[in-house]
Amino acid sequence: MVKFSRELEAQLIPEWKEAFVNYSQLKKQIKRIKLTRISKQQEAHQGDFGLSVFDSFRFITNNLFSSDNNKQDIIQVRRKTVEESGEEVYETELAQLFSEEDEVQVFFARLDEELNKVNQFYKKQESEFLERGEMLNKQLHILLDLKKVLSDRLRKNPPPKASSDTGILPHSPVHSSNYSESIGESEETNSEMEEVISTLEKNGLSFVNSAMRVKTKKGKPQMAMRIDIPATTPTQALTAVTSLLWEDLVNTPMKPGYGEFINKRKIQYAEKMIRSAFVELYKGLGLLKTYSSLNMVAFSKILKKFDKVSCQKASANYLKEVKRSQFISSDKVVRLMDEVESIFTKHFANNDRKKAMKFLKPQQPKSSHMVTFLVGLCTGSFVSLFCVYIILAHLCGIFSPSTEPAYTEAVYPVFSVFTLLSLHLFMFGCNLYTWKSTRINHNFIFEFSPNTALKHRDAFLICTTLMTTVFGAMVIHLLLRAAGFSPVQVDAIPGILLLIFVVLLICPFDIFYRPTRFCFIRVMRNIVCSPFYKVLLVDFFMADQLTSQIPLLRHLGTTGCHIFARVFKTNHPEACHSGRLYVEITYIISFLPYIWRALQCIRRWFDDCDVAHLANMGKYVSAMVAAAARVTYGRQDNYVWFAIVLITSGMATVYQLYWDFVKDWGFFNPNSKNPWLRDDLILKYKSIYYMSIALNAVLRVAWVETMMHLKVGPVQTRLLDFLLASLEVIRRGHWNFYRLENEHLTNVGHFRAVKAVPLPFRDIDSDS
C-alpha cells in the first residue's frame, strides 16, 4: 500500500508545492508526540509510584465520568480576525490536559499555520480566477456584439463580387466619380461607426476622442478611437500586455482610401484568443479544485494519525472547522467551472459538449510499449551496423593514405551532421526523463501541448532511428565502393540521405511526429527572423542550442557546397575545403548563432526595458569575437594571433561561466543557506551541483585544444574535431537541466501554474 505522503507528492501541483499542507513536517511532530508518550509511560512504569497512581486515577476518572461528547471536546478551534489585514485565522486551544501537552500544543500550532496558509492561498487564487472569469465574460460579450454587427452589415451591404473586402464597415473607394456619392458614403461610414461605438460603449468601453477627430468632406468630425486604461490589479496588468489587435481594430481612420474599420480576420483572431483564455481558465479552476481536495485529505489523514497516537478523538472537532473554511465550503470554483463549460459549449463548440470537453479536458495519450520495443530494436540495429561498418572499413582499406582524403571529404561532413544531431537528441531525451522524474513542468515552461509534446521515449526513438539509418547508409556506401561503382556516383549517397531527411522534416502529412516537426520549423523561423518576432522562452532556449552546434552548421555548409558543385558542376569539390568562398562561409556560419542570439537579446530589451538583456547580448558578442579569432588563427598560425585567441577566448569563457552559474542556474548566491548554490534545490544531494559546476567549467575551456595544432593525420584531426563537438553537445545537454530547474523554481516562487493568455480587448472597468 502506497503511503499518503508519497501519493501527495506525486499528485500535488509542482508550482503550488509550497502552498500545500506540509504533511511530512506534521508527521514528524506526531512522531515526537509518540516518542514522548512512550518515554513517559516507561517512566511511570519504572519510576515514581505517586505519579503512576495519579495517572491511573486520571485514567479511571476520564473513562467513568466523561461522555463521548466530552472526549471530542478536548480541543477548541476558534476563528479570529486580524485587525491589520482583516483576514480570518484559526487558533486551537487545548481544553483537556495531555500527558504530552507541550508537543501537542506545538502540533496544533503548526496545524493552524498550515490551515491558515491553505485557506489564504485558496482565497487569493479564487478571487483571481473569479476576476479573470468576469473579464472573459465581458470580452466574450464584446466579441459577440462585434460579430453581430459584422453579420448585420454583411446582410445589409453585401460586398461586390470583384472585391475581396471582408470587413464589417465597407470603406469608400479610393477614386470617386461623384462628389455627392462620396458625401453619402462618408455619412454612411459615420453612421456605421456610431453604431459600433454604441455597441462597444454598451459593454462599458470608454474612448479618448479629444484631438483625434478627422474632418469629413461635409465637415462632421469623425473619431479615431483608442482606450486609455491603466492597469491596477495583476489580472488587469496581464491584459495590458496584450497584442495590438484592439488598436488595429478601432484606430483605423474612417476616410476614403483607408482600410477596413473592423476586419473579419481580426475578429476571428480575437475569438481564438478568448477561446484559449477560457481553456486556461478552466484548467486553472481544475487545479484549484484538486488543490482543495488534496489538502482536505491531508488534514483528515494527519488528524487520524494524531488520534491514533494520542488515544484521543480530536479529529472530529478540528475537521468540522476545516470543512467550514473557505477552501472547502466555497462552491464558487465549481459553479464557475460549470459556467465555463456551458459558455464554451455554446459559443465555441456549437452546443456539442463532447467537442467542448476535448478542448477543456484533453485526454492524455496512453504510453505504448511499442515505442519502447522500437527503441530497443533500433538500438540493437545501430550497434550491429556500427560493428559491420568498422569491419568493412578495415577490410576495404578506407583509411589507407591513398583513399583516406577523398573518402573523408565526401563522407565525413554529412555523417557527422547526423551523428551530432542524434547525440543532441539523445541528450534532450535524457533531459526530458530527468525533468519528468524531478517533476519539472517543462511542457508548461515551453508552452507545449501535453498531448503532442515529445516524451523521452520518443526522443530516444528518433535518435536511434536516425543513427540506424545513417550507419546503414554508410555500410551501403562502402559496399558499393568495394563493388567497383564510380566514386562520383557512390558519393551522392550522403547527399541523398540529407535530402530525404529534409523532405521528411517539412512533410505535411501526419506522420513521424508532425506537431514536433512543425514546432521546430516555427521556432527556427522565429530565430532566423528574431528581431521581428516576440522572443519566447522556447525561442532563445533553442537559439542557445544552436550556439553549441556550430560544427554541425559548418558541416552543413560544406555538404551544401559539395551538392551545389556536383549538381551544377560550377567548381571542383576541393574548393569547398580550401577555397576562398569556403573560408567566407566558415566565418559566416561561425557567427550566425551568436548573431541570432544577440538580436533576440536586443528584442527582449526593447520589449521589457531590462538592461540585463543588453548584458546578455555582450556575452554573445564576446563569443563572436573569440570564434572569429580562433578561425583566423587556424589559417594564420603565428604568435600574434595566438595571443589574440588566448585573450579573447579567455575573456569570453569567464563571461560565459559567470552567466551560466549566476544568471542561468541561479548559483553563487551569497545569502543562500546552501553554500555557493541557491536556497531551493530539486536534487537530493548537493554534491551533484558542485560536480556539475566543475564539469561545466572544464567543458567550457575545451577550446584550448584548438590552439595546440597537434601533428596528426587527416582522419585523426576529423575525429578530434568530432570529439570536441560532441563534448560541447554533452555540456549543453547538462546545462539544459539546471537552466530549466532554475526557471521552474522561479515559477514555483510566483505560483505560476496556468499560462497567461493575452486578451484582445483592453480592460474596460479601470477608468471608473
Side-chain angles (χ1 to χ4, degrees):
M1 184 176 179
V2 180
K3 292 184 177 181
F4 177 74
S5 56
R6 295 182 181 178
E7 185 179 345
L8 178 64
E9 186 70 22
Q11 293 184 11
L12 60 78
I13 300 149
E15 289 77 13
W16 294 352
K17 183 177 181 180
E18 297 300 322
F20 276 82
V21 175
N22 195 340
Y23 189 80
S24 60
Q25 188 65 33
L26 293 173
K27 277 182 63 179
K28 291 179 181 178
Q29 188 59 36
I30 287 180
K31 190 174 181 180
R32 293 192 188 101
I33 295 173
K34 183 178 180 180
L35 293 175
T36 304
R37 182 180 179 85
I38 292 173
S39 63
K40 287 190 176 183
Q41 285 178 350
Q42 291 176 351
E43 290 176 2
H45 181 71
Q46 299 176 358
D48 191 355
F49 174 75
L51 182 61
S52 63
V53 169
F54 174 77
D55 288 343
S56 302
F57 176 76
R58 185 177 62 181
F59 176 78
I60 294 171
T61 304
N62 288 338
N63 281 275
L64 291 177
F65 300 102
S66 297
S67 63
D68 292 339
N69 292 332
N70 290 334
K71 286 184 180 180
Q72 295 178 0
D73 293 338
I74 60 176
I75 63 170
Q76 292 181 359
V77 186
R78 304 182 185 277
R79 279 189 286 184
K80 296 182 180 180
T81 303
V82 181
E83 295 181 358
E84 297 178 355
S85 60
E87 295 179 349
E88 285 188 346
V89 296
Y90 292 86
E91 289 185 1
T92 302
E93 297 178 0
L94 300 182
Q96 178 178 335
L97 183 67
F98 282 87
S99 59
E100 310 85 16
E101 184 176 0
D102 293 339
E103 287 75 12
V104 171
Q105 284 182 345
V106 172
F107 169 76
F108 278 105
R110 290 187 176 176
L111 193 64
D112 291 338
E113 290 177 1
E114 297 300 319
L115 179 57
N116 293 328
K117 177 183 72 174
V118 170
N119 217 28
Q120 290 167 10
F121 178 81
Y122 184 88
K123 287 180 181 179
K124 180 182 178 182
Q125 294 295 324
E126 184 185 58
S127 62
E128 289 185 2
F129 283 129
L130 290 175
E131 184 181 357
R132 182 73 170 173
E134 291 178 3
M135 183 181 301
L136 281 177
N137 200 15
K138 293 175 182 178
Q139 297 263 326
L140 181 62
H141 284 311
I142 297 172
L143 179 67
L144 294 176
D145 288 338
L146 288 175
K147 291 175 72 174
K148 185 175 181 298
V149 173
L150 172 65
S151 60
D152 292 343
R153 286 297 120 196
L154 292 179
R155 187 166 52 252
K156 292 178 182 178
N157 301 314
K161 294 182 179 179
S163 174
S164 60
D165 202 357
T166 58
I168 293 179
L169 305 178
H171 59 273
S172 301
V174 178
H175 303 288
S176 179
S177 59
N178 194 319
Y179 179 73
S180 61
E181 290 180 3
S182 177
I183 294 177
E185 289 172 356
S186 180
E187 290 178 351
E188 182 180 357
T189 297
N190 287 330
S191 64
E192 290 168 348
M193 177 182 286
E194 290 174 1
E195 180 180 350
V196 176
I197 294 173
S198 62
T199 300
L200 299 177
E201 286 183 342
K202 183 175 67 176
N203 290 281
L205 287 171
S206 59
F207 303 99
V208 179
N209 48 38
S210 59
M212 296 186 67
R213 298 178 180 273
V214 182
K215 293 288 184 180
T216 61
K217 291 187 178 181
K218 197 174 180 179
K220 293 184 178 181
Q222 180 177 309
M223 290 186 297
M225 301 177 294
R226 70 179 176 87
I227 299 178
D228 188 11
I229 296 173
T232 56
T233 66
T235 308
Q236 292 168 354
L238 170 66
T239 58
V241 195
T242 61
S243 66
L244 296 179
L245 172 66
W246 177 245
E247 285 76 2
D248 291 341
L249 217 72
V250 300
N251 277 354
T252 308
M254 292 304 303
K255 61 182 182 179
Y258 280 80
E260 302 165 348
F261 173 55
I262 296 180
N263 188 282
K264 183 177 179 181
R265 178 181 58 83
K266 294 173 183 175
I267 290 182
Q268 291 174 346
Y269 183 58
E271 181 178 3
K272 182 179 178 181
M273 295 172 72
I274 294 175
R275 181 183 64 191
S276 299
F278 269 110
V279 171
E280 291 300 321
L281 174 62
Y282 190 84
K283 178 183 176 182
L285 293 171
L287 293 177
L288 195 58
K289 186 178 177 182
T290 303
Y291 174 83
S292 172
S293 61
L294 283 177
N295 281 296
M296 182 63 207
V297 175
F299 278 115
S300 63
K301 291 279 187 182
I302 203 68
L303 284 168
K304 285 181 181 179
K305 284 182 177 294
F306 173 79
D307 287 351
K308 183 178 179 181
V309 169
S310 63
C311 298
Q312 299 290 343
K313 294 183 178 180
S315 60
N317 269 355
Y318 204 95
L319 282 177
K320 283 182 182 178
E321 294 301 324
V322 172
K323 291 177 181 178
R324 291 174 187 169
S325 61
Q326 183 161 345
F327 86 96
I328 293 297
S329 61
S330 176
D331 62 343
K332 294 179 181 179
V333 170
V334 177
R335 287 192 281 119
L336 185 56
M337 288 184 71
D338 294 338
E339 185 180 351
V340 170
E341 284 185 17
S342 60
I343 290 174
F344 197 92
T345 303
K346 180 180 179 181
H347 297 290
F348 300 104
N350 296 325
N351 291 318
D352 187 350
R353 190 176 185 280
K354 187 176 181 181
K355 179 181 177 182
M357 298 313 292
K358 287 183 179 179
F359 287 94
L360 296 176
K361 287 185 179 180
Q363 297 294 327
Q364 295 292 336
K366 296 181 180 180
S367 58
S368 174
H369 294 293
M370 180 58 67
V371 177
T372 307
F373 169 75
L374 291 176
V375 170
L377 178 64
C378 292
T379 302
S381 302
F382 152 63
V383 173
S384 301
L385 288 171
F386 177 75
C387 296
V388 170
Y389 172 77
I390 295 297
I391 295 172
L392 286 177
H394 177 71
L395 294 177
C396 296
I398 289 299
F399 300 118
S400 61
S402 59
T403 59
E404 177 183 296
Y407 180 79
T408 54
E409 289 176 2
V411 174
Y412 171 76
V414 180
F415 291 143
S416 63
V417 166
F418 290 115
T419 307
L420 291 174
L421 180 60
S422 299
L423 180 61
H424 212 134
L425 283 170
F426 175 77
M427 294 302 300
F428 185 64
C430 294
N431 290 146
L432 293 175
Y433 177 76
T434 53
W435 290 333
K436 180 183 177 182
S437 60
T438 54
R439 303 212 56 190
I440 294 176
N441 197 350
H442 59 280
N443 287 332
F444 172 69
I445 295 173
F446 289 136
E447 299 184 8
F448 290 160
S449 172
N451 295 332
T452 58
L454 208 66
K455 299 176 177 58
H456 65 278
R457 290 187 181 89
D458 300 321
F460 291 147
L461 177 60
I462 297 174
C463 166
T464 53
T465 303
L466 191 63
M467 290 304 298
T468 301
T469 306
V470 168
F471 274 95
M474 293 175 72
V475 169
I476 294 173
H477 183 268
L478 280 180
L479 291 175
L480 292 178
R481 285 176 65 100
F485 284 85
S486 171
V488 177
Q489 297 175 347
V490 175
D491 291 345
I493 291 179
I496 295 173
L497 183 64
L498 181 63
L499 182 62
I500 291 173
F501 277 96
V502 170
V503 171
L504 181 61
L505 178 65
I506 63 176
C507 176
F509 302 111
D510 192 7
I511 57 172
F512 207 68
Y513 305 104
R514 183 179 67 174
T516 301
R517 291 188 285 108
F518 281 18
C519 177
F520 174 77
I521 294 173
R522 183 174 65 252
V523 171
M524 290 301 299
R525 178 206 63 189
N526 295 347
I527 292 173
V528 174
C529 307
S530 52
F532 308 106
Y533 287 93
K534 184 177 177 62
V535 181
L536 304 177
L537 189 144
V538 66
D539 297 331
F540 65 76
F541 188 85
M542 178 61 75
D544 281 329
Q545 310 303 306
L546 292 179
T547 59
S548 296
Q549 286 287 16
I550 291 178
L552 183 148
L553 297 177
R554 288 178 182 170
H555 295 325
L556 276 179
T558 305
T559 303
C561 180
H562 272 284
I563 295 175
F564 187 83
R566 291 182 183 277
V567 173
F568 297 98
K569 299 180 180 179
T570 57
N571 203 349
H572 196 273
E574 291 180 356
C576 296
H577 299 275
S578 57
R580 181 178 179 182
L581 179 62
Y582 173 74
V583 175
E584 299 296 332
I585 291 176
T586 303
Y587 269 101
I588 294 173
I589 291 177
S590 300
F591 291 158
L592 275 180
Y594 298 118
I595 293 174
W596 292 331
R597 192 64 186 90
L599 291 175
Q600 286 181 337
C601 294
I602 294 174
R603 175 59 190 262
R604 295 187 71 194
W605 169 76
F606 180 79
D607 291 338
D608 303 337
C609 297
D610 189 353
V611 184
H613 297 311
L614 294 181
N616 194 16
M617 182 193 69
K619 179 184 71 171
Y620 297 103
V621 172
S622 66
M624 277 191 283
V625 174
R630 285 197 293 268
V631 172
T632 307
Y633 175 68
R635 313 205 181 280
Q636 300 180 20
D637 189 358
N638 54 56
Y639 291 106
V640 175
W641 279 108
F642 178 83
I644 293 174
V645 169
L646 191 62
I647 295 172
T648 56
S649 297
M651 293 177 62
T653 301
V654 173
Y655 204 157
Q656 291 164 352
L657 287 175
Y658 166 78
W659 207 269
D660 284 345
F661 299 144
V662 178
K663 299 296 184 179
D664 291 334
W665 293 3
F667 292 165
F668 295 160
N669 183 0
N671 301 320
S672 173
K673 61 184 180 182
N674 301 309
W676 299 97
L677 301 177
R678 52 175 127 80
D679 290 337
D680 299 321
L681 302 174
I682 290 182
L683 298 180
K684 185 177 180 180
Y685 301 105
K686 289 188 288 186
S687 58
I688 298 177
Y689 292 95
Y690 295 119
M691 289 188 292
S692 297
I693 290 174
L695 178 63
N696 188 74
V698 170
L699 294 180
R700 274 289 190 187
V701 296
W703 53 267
V704 174
E705 187 278 332
T706 60
M707 303 176 61
M708 296 180 180
H709 288 180
L710 300 176
K711 302 298 182 181
V712 293
V715 174
Q716 289 78 8
T717 302
R718 299 281 191 180
L719 291 176
L720 191 58
D721 292 343
F722 177 77
L723 176 62
L724 293 177
S726 301
L727 290 177
E728 173 59 22
V729 172
I730 293 172
R731 188 202 66 82
R732 179 60 64 181
H734 169 259
W735 176 91
N736 288 343
F737 173 81
Y738 298 101
R739 175 65 183 89
L740 223 66
E741 180 196 21
N742 191 29
E743 189 70 25
H744 172 77
L745 292 174
T746 302
N747 288 336
V748 170
H750 294 87
F751 300 108
R752 297 173 187 156
V754 182
K755 185 173 66 174
V757 179
L759 300 176
F761 310 113
R762 302 260 181 202
D763 191 9
I764 60 182
D765 289 330
S766 55
D767 278 349
S768 57

